[in-house]
Amino acid sequence: MRIATYNINGVKARLPRLLEWLDETKPDIACLQEVKSQDDGFPVGEFERAGYGAIWHGQKSFNGVAILARNAKPVEAQRALPGDPEDEHARYLEADVFGLRVASIYLPNGNPQPGPKFDYKLKWMQRLRARAAELMAAEIPAVLAGDYNVIPTPKDIWSASAMLDDALRQPESIAAYRTLLAEGWTDALATHYPQGGVWTYWDFQAGAWQRDHGFRIDHLLLSPVVADRLIACGVDKDHRGREKASDHAPTWIELAA
């Protein structure tokens, strides 16, 4: 089984690239972020014609997450991250599909920091930790996949001295991410590529793609029973280099049956 996460950076603007990727790689489950579409504008018909059932949590012009399943319809389990009824950002969606609980996550960026946006990011990560603990306590086989907007270690960026003032590299958000790992979640790519040097994002600015100035912020965290099934993982880097592509590359895992 192949499960992928892909910050598409606008599902309508990138739809040809997204459908191309689905056709070429055929993931069984695809978690999308930054859909940037209201619920009634989500192109569900296009995905159904491509053989994918879909659920989505949209928001006009910003954020938005979705879960696609090949030849199946995901069963929604949780819409929006619990813990703050006033948070209207479409950043979290959870579904049951193929015997797994899968979450599509678009964690807040947090810039500029310090400030209210970074405070919101840290509070959101506290809420994610609480939800992850509930899934862990219930022993639900789960994958928490998405754009975490956290660069976990200096090995996960092209230069250890780059972006030290950015919210993606602050000690507080890195500590919150490591807490998830300490509580039993496995970072799939970090497990298979302990040497680092694997990027999932290249900015559109400053020739980052051409210079391979990338970093890793798209993660798949696995509960223990799912981690035991992990046999492969990687990044579909070539899709980042295509015309009118997202600034992220699809990131995936493969699980034994």
Side-chain angles (χ1 to χ4, degrees), residues 113-161:
Q113 72 82 31
K117 290 188 176 182
F118 190 63
D119 294 341
Y120 169 62
K121 177 176 190 168
L122 295 180
K123 290 177 182 177
W124 206 95
M125 295 188 80
Q126 291 175 351
R127 291 159 55 201
L128 177 60
R129 177 188 178 187
R131 180 59 181 166
E134 291 176 353
L135 296 173
M136 189 72 74
E139 298 184 350
I140 296 173
V143 178
L144 308 181
D147 177 357
Y148 280 72
N149 272 313
V150 174
I151 300 171
T153 76
K155 297 184 294 185
D156 296 311
I157 185 169
W158 84 91
S159 170
S161 61

Side-chain angles (χ1 to χ4, degrees), residues 1 27-30 44 47-48 50-55 67-75 95-99:
M1 182 189 300
D28 297 288
I29 303 170
V44 60
F47 295 122
E48 289 175 345
Y52 283 84
I55 62 170
I67 300 174
L68 312 180
R70 190 176 176 209
N71 299 322
K73 177 69 180 290
V75 178
D96 290 315
V97 58
F98 302 139

Side-chain angles (χ1 to χ4, degrees), residues 27-135:
D28 297 288
I29 303 170
C31 297
L32 307 179
Q33 301 86 38
E34 275 201 278
V35 171
K36 298 182 179 178
S37 170
Q38 291 179 299
D39 283 341
D40 58 4
F42 188 81
V44 60
E46 296 282 355
F47 295 122
E48 289 175 345
R49 281 187 286 275
Y52 283 84
I55 62 170
W56 60 95
H57 179 26
Q59 181 179 340
K60 184 179 180 180
S61 302
F62 297 99
N63 305 322
V65 288
I67 300 174
L68 312 180
R70 190 176 176 209
N71 299 322
K73 177 69 180 290
V75 178
E76 184 173 318
Q78 177 69 43
R79 175 175 295 253
L81 194 60
D84 183 357
E86 296 182 0
D87 185 358
E88 297 180 348
H89 288 198
R91 294 183 175 275
Y92 188 88
L93 186 62
E94 216 177 90
D96 290 315
V97 58
F98 302 139
L100 299 173
R101 179 69 55 86
V102 178
S104 183
I105 295 169
Y106 180 43
L107 206 143
N109 178 284
N111 282 304
Q113 72 82 31
K117 290 188 176 182
F118 190 63
D119 294 341
Y120 169 62
K121 177 176 190 168
L122 295 180
K123 290 177 182 177
W124 206 95
M125 295 188 80
Q126 291 175 351
R127 291 159 55 201
L128 177 60
R129 177 188 178 187
R131 180 59 181 166
E134 291 176 353
L135 296 173

